[in-house]
Amino acid sequence: MTDAITNSFLKIRENYSLPNATTRDIFCEFSAILQGLFTNLKAIGMIAPGSELLNDRYFDAMFANIQTDWRLAEFLTKHPCYVEPTAVKLSDEFSMQYVSLPSILHVLLSNDDILGEILEYISKPPHPTILTDFKDGCGIQFPILSDRCDISIPLILYTDEFEVCNPIGSARTKHKLAAVYFTLACLPPSLRSRRRYIFLNALIPDRARKSLGYDKVFSNLIEDLRNLYSNPIKLSNGSLVCAKVVAFCGDSLSGHALGGLQGSFSSGYICRFCYCSYGDVSNIFLEIQCLLRRVRTIESLYEDLDAAEQGRDSRGVKSRSVLYNTGYNDICLSTLLLPDCLRDFLKGVVPKVICVTLRTMKADKILTLPKINELISTFTYQLKDSGLNPYDMEITNANLSEAKLKDTASQKWCLLVHLPFILRDVQIPDTNQAWQLLIKCREIGEIILSDSIPKSKIPYLSCLIDEHHQLFRLLAPVAMTPKFHFLIHYPRLITLFGPPVRYWTMRFEAKHQYFKDLARNTPKTRCNFSTLLELCTLE
């Protein structure tokens, strides 16, 4: 009973991001109610003589583990599903909190239910005509067997920076953290999308990342990846399991930093998938026109690094990627550093297409700005009060001229999907180029944001992106950004790894909210790394 109450305490605390003191007050009230109930039962003789319920210390023992933070920490350290974070000193000024990757995998794969889900999922043959996940693409072969172990687990890693406090003022980046999460590519998508199956690996002060570089702050992670690749984990049932990173997710800036590529997207080589330069963004709309980045050898890497040091053309290479230290036989950064349709399409392409479409229609006197806002605000959206609807979005002249919208990615996508219906009563010629641009962008989104994509749609998607970009260049050539270029690589990457929503950053960013809630609900005097890293136990 004591363990059950402690587990309930932890679940309530983690599910609602409550401080220990608040959760303890709740359980104290619960304890008082139980004691009053059993006191009345004893008074009317409903409890048998000699029962331990007659002992006044029985209730104190039941709630013993949650009475103090020390007892709760002691319970956690003895729990078989708890992996304790460790403080790693990076320099005299900086330290980070790190959670052992092999330890988490050992705990996770020792759970027969989770291991059973993995084995059942990877044993299913890929669908011959429809892409639904990694296993249906040709970039990762399932099941992944190795001569060193019984099975190899494919890992998806993610890194991004976020503010835990977001204070206003010049020191707003003081509490900015760089987080590293991971999940398993061999989990069914229905499980992989849940926040509880996205695991924390490290929390790093962002100033340390900028000051020391990825080689230093990722040294523990790279060492764990090397060990997992060459030294299998032995489970309690005797099975040998090794693991390998098959995808690294994040925004374009993180992808270029991890790949050792330039961090600027306003000049030079702006793409991590090919050797496209900034000047080609408005001219190249098909991948067959690009020279792709392939598997790099150490010799070719050092040639580019020497060229960078001597001021010659290094093709965007600035430094040796930290990912080369994983010990993998071959690394193709252009397929390891996957794109993010959340930032590339929803935050990059969609708002510009919406603004250019409305701006063109306004210039053609088809619509006026007040009429646009009236139609958006009065439209009946299906999901009312969901936070996804753009009914409170106000389009201004500044939005249209700058081709920028400030709302969330979900609201931008919702507006794009509903715009044809919002404008249903507006007389728009079918030959109107702005209207055609809107429809093509909407169709592109319906394909790349789908959970399942027919293989027959891939060539059509490539042609659709080409036509879309041609139209956009005609209407607003100056507004084309590198994110438009990234989109032309999606057909090939979908063929390799399946639908982009299986590896976008939306679900990883949801994990940030857990730590933001902890920082908001924890007293300021106690808000530190250790507080943020009190991990909940696995069921």
Side-chain angles (χ1 to χ4, degrees), residues 320-513:
R320 187 177 189 273
S321 171
V322 66
L323 301 178
Y324 284 107
N325 300 329
T326 53
Y328 299 161
N329 297 329
D330 55 346
I331 290 183
C332 182
L333 295 180
S334 63
T335 55
L336 185 62
L337 302 171
L338 296 186
D340 177 25
C341 60
L342 172 67
R343 289 181 171 88
D344 293 343
F345 183 70
L346 292 181
K347 291 185 177 181
V349 175
V350 168
K352 291 192 177 295
V353 168
I354 292 174
C355 291
V356 168
T357 299
L358 297 178
R359 185 176 68 195
T360 304
M361 291 183 178
K362 178 174 174 286
D364 294 341
K365 300 188 184 304
I366 297 175
L367 284 168
T368 63
L369 194 58
K371 184 64 174 178
I372 292 171
N373 287 314
E374 179 188 352
L375 292 173
I376 292 174
S377 61
T378 58
F379 184 79
T380 303
Y381 298 93
Q382 186 174 5
L383 299 176
K384 295 182 178 180
D385 303 323
S386 64
L388 306 178
N389 297 329
Y391 58 84
D392 57 347
M393 181 186 297
E394 182 180 0
I395 307 295
T396 65
N397 284 319
N399 295 139
L400 299 184
S401 61
E402 297 174 4
K404 293 181 180 179
L405 296 176
K406 296 182 180 180
D407 293 85
T408 65
S410 300
Q411 288 177 311
K412 294 169 186 174
W413 173 238
C414 183
L415 180 59
L416 178 68
V417 169
H418 289 93
L419 259 181
F421 304 102
I422 294 173
L423 304 177
R424 65 187 182 277
D425 296 329
V426 180
Q427 298 299 321
I428 304 174
D430 292 338
T431 56
N432 184 279
Q433 292 178 328
W435 177 256
Q436 293 176 359
L437 175 69
L438 179 73
I439 298 303
K440 290 183 184 296
C441 184
R442 187 177 185 269
E443 192 172 359
I444 290 172
E446 288 176 345
I447 295 175
I448 67 175
L449 298 178
S450 175
D451 290 335
S452 58
I453 303 174
K455 293 181 179 180
S456 59
K457 283 275 190 180
I458 303 302
Y460 174 68
L461 175 62
S462 182
C463 295
L464 192 61
I465 292 173
D466 179 33
E467 294 173 359
H468 172 271
H469 287 13
Q470 296 279 3
L471 270 175
F472 192 91
R473 181 179 63 178
L474 186 64
L475 295 173
V478 179
M480 293 202 76
T481 64
K483 293 183 178 181
F484 281 78
H485 170 77
F486 300 153
L487 212 59
I488 72 175
H489 296 292
Y490 274 60
R492 177 178 60 90
L493 295 172
I494 290 173
T495 303
L496 291 174
F497 301 107
V501 293
R502 299 303 185 205
Y503 42 86
W504 67 346
T505 61
M506 178 75 83
R507 296 309 305 152
F508 288 105
E509 289 192 355
K511 190 73 172 182
H512 289 334
Q513 193 60 45

